């Protein structure tokens, strides 16, 4: 993903919440930085939310990134994989 830079990523798992991940990233040519939060019970189907990382920005750019995530499975999987690499399992 040449045009996407991962700034940070994390993922946790608990029985109560399942898998919850956060990926901070930026896209070349855009002013804003973003955070995508992801959630899944079994790591097969992911729900997500997309937010501005530090401060509010251009709403049109946010919507454009959301369209990219919807249309580009490779991009979505790239971001999910960045979080999965940081998976921390619940310890009893």
């Amino acid at each position: 993903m040449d045009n996407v830079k991962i700034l940070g990523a994390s993922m946790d798992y608990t029985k109560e919440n399942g898998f919850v991940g956060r990926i901070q990233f930026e896209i070349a040519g855009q002013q804003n930085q973003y955070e995508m939060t992801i959630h899944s019970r079994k790591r097969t189907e992911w729900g997500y939310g997309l937010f501005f990382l530090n401060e509010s920005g251009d709403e049109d750019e946010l919507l454009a990134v959301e369209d990219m995530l919807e249309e580009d499975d490779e991009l979505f999987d790239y971001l999910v994989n960045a979080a999965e690499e940081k998976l921390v399992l619940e310890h009893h």
Side-chain angles (χ1 to χ4, degrees):
M1 292 284 128
D2 294 339
N3 63 333
V4 177
K5 180 180 177 187
I6 303 286
L7 304 172
S10 64
M11 181 175 287
D12 299 309
Y13 171 79
T14 62
K15 277 190 278 195
E16 299 80 35
N17 298 321
F19 296 90
V20 178
R22 289 177 180 77
I23 309 97
Q24 298 83 36
F25 65 100
E26 60 187 16
I27 295 179
Q30 292 202 11
Q31 297 290 333
N32 304 301
Q33 295 177 329
Y34 304 95
E35 179 171 67
M36 183 170 84
T37 58
I38 56 177
H39 176 262
S40 180
R41 286 275 168 212
K42 299 180 180 170
R43 289 171 71 183
T44 51
E45 295 285 322
W46 292 96
Y48 76 93
L50 182 66
F51 310 93
F52 292 113
L53 181 56
N54 295 313
E55 69 262 345
S56 291
D58 186 332
E59 195 71 26
D60 289 336
E61 284 194 359
L62 182 77
L63 294 173
V65 172
E66 199 158 84
D67 286 343
M68 289 169 60
L69 292 170
E70 290 289 331
E71 295 168 11
D72 187 345
D73 291 340
E74 199 174 305
L75 171 60
F76 189 84
D77 292 344
Y78 175 72
L79 295 172
V80 169
N81 289 341
E84 286 183 320
E85 289 174 5
K86 307 287 186 180
L87 178 59
V88 176
L89 295 176
E90 178 182 43
H91 297 288
H92 294 283

